[in-house]
Amino acid sequence: MDFIKSAVASAMAAQGPPFPYSFGDKVDIDASIWTLYNGTRRADGSNCSIFSFDVTANKSRLPLAKNALKKLRTMRHPGVIKVLDAVETDSYIYIATERVVPLRWHVKRKSLSPETIKWGLYSIARTIKFINDEGSSIHGSLKVASIYTSESGEWKLGGFEVLSNVKDDDAIIYRYGSLVPDANRFTPPELAQAGWDAIKKSPHSAADSYNFGTTIYEVFNGDFTGSSQAGQTKGIPPTMHAGYKRLVNANPKARITVKAFLEQGCRSGGFFDSPLIKLTEGIDNLDVKSEEERAEFLDSLDQLTDDFPEDFFKMKVLPELLKSVEFGGGGPKAFGVVMKIATKLTNEDFDARVQPVVIRLFGNPDRAIRVCLLDNLPSMIDRLPQKVVNDKIFPNMVSGFTDLAPVVREQTLKSVLVVIHKLSDRVINGELLKYLAKTANDEQPGIRTNTTICLGKIAKNLGTSSRAKVLIAAFTRSLRDPFVHARNAALMALAATGEYFTEEDCALRILPVICPSLIDKEKLVREQASKTMDIYLQRIRKAAASMPDTALPPSQTADSAGPRMSTPQSSEASSWAGWAISSFTNKLSAASGEMQTSSNGVSTPRAASPSTGAAEPKRVVSSTSSASALHRQAVKSPSPAPLSRNSSTTAPDTYFKDPSPIEDEDPGDAWGDMGDMNDDDAGDTWGEPSDSTTDAWSTNTATTTPVTTTSKTAKKKTPVVSSKPFDDDSEPDFAGWLAAQAQKKTPGAAKSLPKGLAKNSSATSKKPLTSRSASAAKPAASKKIDMKPKETGGDDDGWGDGW
């Protein structure tokens, strides 16, 4: 093969004018005077076919080759092979034509559907009619070997070796008709008997009518072996039987012309009355049709089945439809047919033929075109390169987010799910989220709902740094939407995207906003809220189960350590603060002796027990505003022995070190910003410790307070009741304070509890402490207590605002 190509190229270079086409592979064809090659045009690389005739090897048939070249150049018809260029020398004749394939290939493979065969025969019949009537000529060699298919799948007529004008008395058909390859098989009976001059005695179209009939037999059954098969209807459609038999009639004068056969087939219900043939007739004039005619034509296109020739749709129908959509007013209907055809295109053909038009159409302001493009985007997104979608299509597509027509906004929003995997991270987390924030506030409730659904489905594509923030903000906002389906969509989206949130987000930001939906007015929302709540609760429980029992540092046990707060027990906790209060009172009762007020207002320790005879060391008790501070003061002085209820489990030593740095910190910070509270807000008692002399727990009324004391030798605690009420410098009456708090919570109770303890810059007075014990302690400083309550501004919202 390479030798043949080089030989042909050498012959061209040495003997003839330049031929601007390159030879490719040789194509196998039926017996012919021509050798067919695939070729390409050197200028642009476009495909072509080259018919080559070697003068030296076929000198006797040179007149046939010259006649074919002459007729191909002068015969202009859509059904005739299109000639691009030709070169004729003394050694060769080269004819460059459009790229064609012998029809014999398709017939042998039986790859032609009945509808395609009808369409092809219709095209050949029109061409023969033109030759016989308008051209007043005879083809003389009509058969399957003379027919080719173009790149568009259309049947093209060739084999013009003996094509002659009947007005020419010295026509080539009379002298060289018998030199055509395989002439004996296809020669009409009258010519086989009387020679080619018998053409003059019969209608000039009679020979072509007979050969058209044998061609019908060939395309439906394969080879035509001779005149004995003429008239057999095997494989031929029943609707064509009558006309076919009249074409191959042995009497030339009784034969119908190809023109008559064509007219018979085109009648309503005839064998040429098919959608495919109507399509080929109407596609060339699509732009000049009226709107009604165009709509009817496009309807017929949409009804076409898959057995029609794909090449024709790709090469002929598709370009015409694209022109109609872009310039001729074909509209969405034409584009729908375009996409149906495009599904059968290769990726290369799609990129070359459809993609450029699609990119331009996205810039079209026609809303109908835009919606049609978005509707068909799923069928073509996989064929569009990521760079094209990100840089060319999406910038034009985003204008739909702000379009005045709701249908455009909604369709644009839905298309986000289609193009999301083709967009860059910068576009997704920047421009796209900006537009989704607008549609989340759209006036149309359906668009707001779809925005929530869209965010839930593209959550995996969002940037990890901002994903949780964006989703929580969007979904929690939708939970307050007045449209029931928007709220329901937010709950479903939260349930579907839980994996993208941390446990802290789930507990602190998501669960609180789901709770109101549990009592939503709509049952649909309530049920979904319950399901979503269960999902997040399960996750939080699972996370909590893996957490350590405490975040405090390990206990440091020392022999000299004072009493410690016992570990909370569930049996002791009657309320959320029960264990803390009970632990505090336990430590007060663990201290030896009983606090007693002296005449000068200074607290002095009493003897631990008459039976021991030992005096308790002096202690300094400073009134503070919290139980923890009182406890630290209580354990400041050493006791004879660390006594507690649960001595086996103690809190870490760090709770009982020097309290001075702790007093500068605000324990309320651990509870968040509690806001302004009223005078009876129990939370105020957890405020910041200060040097103020105000005792929040002291009372001015005389109360009887049970004080528990423990003897060193006694194993049972005996309550000791003091008959004297505590004054300003006495030990705080904790039980009385609790009783007062309970009384104040009843309706009509006066709100006299101070807001908190304020710091007082005045120096604390130091008063000596006296003891009834034999061994006196060194006097210690005592804080001056200011009983005046803080100003609260009338805020009595209680705990609600604080939380």
Side-chain angles (χ1 to χ4, degrees):
M1 182 60 65
D2 294 337
F3 172 76
I4 295 175
K5 292 180 183 180
S6 62
V8 171
S10 299
M12 291 171 50
Q15 301 179 14
F19 189 59
Y21 297 89
S22 299
F23 285 77
D25 298 331
K26 182 180 178 180
V27 179
D28 295 329
I29 58 176
D30 290 334
S32 174
I33 67 172
W34 300 96
T35 302
L36 181 61
Y37 295 92
N38 289 330
T40 54
R41 187 177 180 179
R42 293 196 186 102
D44 56 7
S46 59
N47 293 331
C48 69
S49 291
I50 302 175
F51 289 86
S52 173
F53 179 79
D54 188 351
V55 175
T56 306
N58 297 284
K59 196 166 186 178
S60 60
R61 293 176 174 175
L62 179 59
L64 299 179
K66 289 186 176 183
N67 185 70
L69 175 58
K70 177 182 177 181
K71 298 301 181 181
L72 282 173
R73 279 176 167 174
T74 57
M75 186 71 65
R76 298 294 182 181
H77 190 271
V80 175
I81 296 176
K82 181 181 179 181
V83 177
L84 304 177
D85 200 354
V87 172
E88 182 179 357
T89 67
D90 295 338
S91 301
Y92 59 86
I93 297 176
Y94 297 143
I95 305 175
T97 68
E98 60 181 315
R99 176 63 66 86
V100 293
V101 173
L103 179 62
R104 176 68 66 188
W105 286 13
H106 302 290
V107 173
K108 286 183 176 180
R109 293 198 301 264
K110 295 183 179 180
S111 60
L112 300 174
S113 67
E115 288 297 323
T116 303
I117 293 176
K118 289 180 182 180
W119 169 58
L121 290 174
Y122 173 80
S123 177
I124 297 301
R126 291 180 60 196
T127 306
I128 293 297
K129 170 186 171 294
F130 173 78
I131 292 173
N132 292 160
D133 294 351
E134 285 80 1
S136 302
S137 302
I138 303 172
H139 186 278
S141 184
L142 182 58
K143 53 191 174 184
V144 169
S146 301
I147 302 173
Y148 301 84
T149 59
S150 66
E151 287 184 304
S152 63
E154 296 175 279
W155 291 17
K156 301 288 186 174
L157 184 59
F160 287 176
E161 288 80 13
V162 293
L163 193 148
S164 304
N165 193 312
V166 295
K167 298 178 181 178
D168 186 1
D169 294 335
D170 193 23
I172 192 173
I173 193 173
Y174 304 132
R175 290 185 295 166
Y176 297 98
S178 59
L179 294 179
V180 176
D182 281 341
N184 295 332
R185 280 197 296 154
F186 300 97
T187 302
E190 69 274 12
L191 299 184
Q193 295 173 4
W196 289 89
D197 288 337
I199 293 176
K200 299 176 182 179
K201 300 176 184 180
S202 303
H204 73 279
S205 62
D208 288 342
S209 295
Y210 180 86
N211 289 146
F212 186 74
T214 60
T215 301
I216 293 174
Y217 183 89
E218 274 192 287
V219 295
F220 281 111
N221 297 283
D223 291 334
F224 179 78
T225 58
S227 58
S228 60
Q229 291 181 329
Q232 295 181 7
T233 58
K234 177 184 177 182
I236 299 175
T239 56
M240 201 178 289
H241 287 176
Y244 160 70
K245 288 180 179 180
R246 296 183 64 183
L247 284 173
V248 296
N249 196 306
N251 184 0
K253 295 182 180 180
R255 295 173 194 156
I256 61 172
T257 63
V258 176
K259 176 182 177 181
F261 180 82
L262 182 62
E263 292 174 351
Q264 180 181 348
C266 291
R267 294 172 185 172
S268 179
F271 43 84
F272 287 151
D273 185 17
S274 68
L276 182 57
I277 293 174
K278 291 180 179 179
L279 166 65
T280 59
E281 289 293 301
I283 192 63
D284 294 332
N285 302 319
L286 181 61
D287 294 340
V288 298
K289 292 180 181 293
S290 63
E291 291 186 8
E292 293 78 10
E293 292 174 338
R294 185 185 299 115
E296 182 180 358
F297 173 75
L298 293 174
D299 285 338
S300 64
L301 273 180
D302 202 30
Q303 296 172 2
L304 294 178
T305 57
D306 295 335
D307 61 348
F308 294 124
E310 298 179 8
D311 292 337
F312 178 74
F313 280 89
K314 178 177 72 175
M315 302 298 296
K316 294 288 291 185
V317 179
L318 186 60
E320 294 297 329
L321 288 176
L322 288 174
K323 285 194 299 183
S324 179
V325 171
E326 195 170 4
F327 308 111
K333 200 173 191 69
F335 189 79
V337 180
V338 167
M339 295 312 302
K340 184 176 181 179
I341 298 172
T343 56
K344 298 183 179 181
L345 299 179
T346 63
N347 291 335
E348 293 76 11
D349 290 334
F350 184 89
D351 294 343
R353 302 177 186 277
V354 180
Q355 179 179 302
V357 179
V358 169
I359 294 174
R360 292 195 297 268
L361 286 177
F362 266 104
N364 194 317
D366 190 333
R367 288 193 176 102
I369 292 293
R370 174 64 63 83
V371 173
C372 184
L373 284 169
L374 297 175
D375 284 339
N376 288 278
L377 197 57
S379 63
M380 59 180 170
I381 188 63
D382 292 335
R383 295 189 171 194
L384 295 172
Q386 181 175 0
K387 185 173 180 61
V388 170
V389 176
N390 192 78
D391 298 343
K392 297 181 179 180
I393 291 180
F394 186 76
N396 288 326
M397 193 179 80
V398 294
S399 62
F401 286 112
T402 56
D403 195 273
L404 295 178
V407 64
V408 178
R409 298 200 301 273
E410 184 169 13
Q411 200 61 43
T412 304
L413 178 62
K414 291 179 180 178
S415 67
V416 170
L417 300 179
V418 179
V419 303
I420 188 69
H421 65 284
K422 296 279 187 177
L423 301 179
S424 65
D425 293 340
R426 181 184 60 82
V427 171
I428 293 174
N429 296 286
E431 191 172 5
L432 177 59
L433 288 182
K434 179 182 70 174
Y435 284 107
L436 291 180
K438 292 182 179 180
T439 57
N441 297 318
D442 196 274
E443 60 182 7
Q444 297 292 325
I447 296 179
R448 298 197 302 269
T449 304
N450 286 335
T451 301
T452 301
I453 296 173
C454 178
L455 279 171
K457 291 187 175 182
I458 68 172
K460 61 183 179 181
N461 301 101
L462 301 180
T464 56
S465 60
S466 61
R467 176 166 51 202
K469 179 179 179 181
V470 170
L471 296 181
I472 292 176
F475 297 159
T476 55
R477 182 186 182 90
S478 295
L479 285 175
R480 302 190 300 269
D481 197 294
F483 188 52
V484 56
H485 295 291
R487 301 196 298 274
N488 189 57
L491 291 168
M492 290 190 295
L494 283 171
T497 58
E499 61 183 297
Y500 303 118
F501 307 125
T502 63
E503 285 76 11
E504 289 77 7
D505 287 337
C506 296
L508 301 180
R509 303 180 64 186
I510 296 178
L511 282 178
V513 297
I514 294 179
C515 290
S517 299
L518 294 172
I519 56 172
D520 194 274
K521 295 180 179 179
E522 300 294 334
K523 182 179 179 181
L524 176 69
V525 178
R526 295 195 299 271
E527 290 179 348
Q528 185 59 48
S530 179
K531 295 177 183 178
T532 305
M533 178 73 76
D534 290 342
I535 292 174
Y536 280 91
L537 285 176
Q538 290 176 7
R539 181 176 177 188
I540 291 176
R541 288 173 183 144
K542 183 178 179 181
S546 63
M547 296 174 65
D549 294 341
T550 180
L552 300 177
S555 176
Q556 298 177 359
T557 305
D559 295 338
S560 61
R564 291 168 171 78
M565 186 179 294
S566 61
T567 303
Q569 302 293 330
S570 60
S571 61
E572 298 177 359
S574 60
S575 67
W576 68 272
W579 68 267
I581 295 174
S582 63
S583 297
F584 168 67
T585 55
N586 289 343
K587 298 312 170 187
L588 288 180
S589 63
S592 298
E594 184 179 32
M595 297 299 297
Q596 192 174 14
T597 306
S598 64
S599 59
N600 58 357
V602 179
S603 299
T604 58
R606 295 172 59 184
S609 173
S611 62
T612 61
E616 185 183 33
K618 293 182 180 180
R619 296 175 300 163
V620 178
V621 179
S622 176
S623 299
T624 62
S625 61
S626 67
S628 61
L630 282 172
H631 178 67
R632 289 194 296 272
Q633 290 291 347
V635 301
K636 187 73 174 180
S637 300
S639 59
L643 300 177
S644 63
R645 288 185 179 180
N646 300 318
S647 59
S648 60
T649 57
T650 60
D653 290 340
T654 54
Y655 276 15
F656 308 105
K657 293 182 180 179
D658 184 7
S660 57
I662 300 179
E663 292 178 354
D664 294 334
E665 296 176 0
D666 187 1
D669 291 341
W671 300 85
D673 184 8
M674 305 302 294
D676 295 330
M677 295 187 178
N678 55 21
D679 292 341
D680 65 344
D681 193 335
D684 291 338
T685 61
W686 298 91
E688 178 182 354
S690 65
D691 295 330
S692 173
T693 58
T694 303
D695 188 349
W697 287 336
S698 64
T699 59
N700 294 327
T701 58
T703 59
T704 302
T705 305
V707 179
T708 304
T709 61
T710 304
S711 173
K712 289 184 179 180
T713 59
K715 294 185 179 179
K716 183 176 181 181
K717 295 181 176 63
T718 303
V720 178
V721 179
S722 175
S723 60
K724 181 180 180 180
F726 292 119
D727 58 14
D728 291 349
D729 294 330
S730 301
E731 179 179 349
D733 182 6
F734 187 70
W737 177 81
L738 289 177
Q741 289 298 315
Q743 181 180 3
K744 291 176 67 177
K745 292 298 180 179
T746 60
K751 301 179 180 179
S752 60
L753 183 66
K755 176 73 175 183
L757 299 181
K759 291 191 181 283
N760 194 340
S761 59
S762 61
T764 58
S765 61
K766 298 182 179 180
K767 298 180 181 180
L769 293 176
T770 60
S771 173
R772 291 178 297 176
S773 173
S775 58
K778 185 178 180 180
S782 175
K783 292 186 178 180
K784 186 177 182 180
I785 300 176
D786 185 5
M787 297 300 297
K788 184 179 180 180
K790 294 175 65 177
E791 294 296 333
T792 63
D795 182 8
D796 59 354
D797 290 340
W799 284 93
D801 290 344
W803 289 97

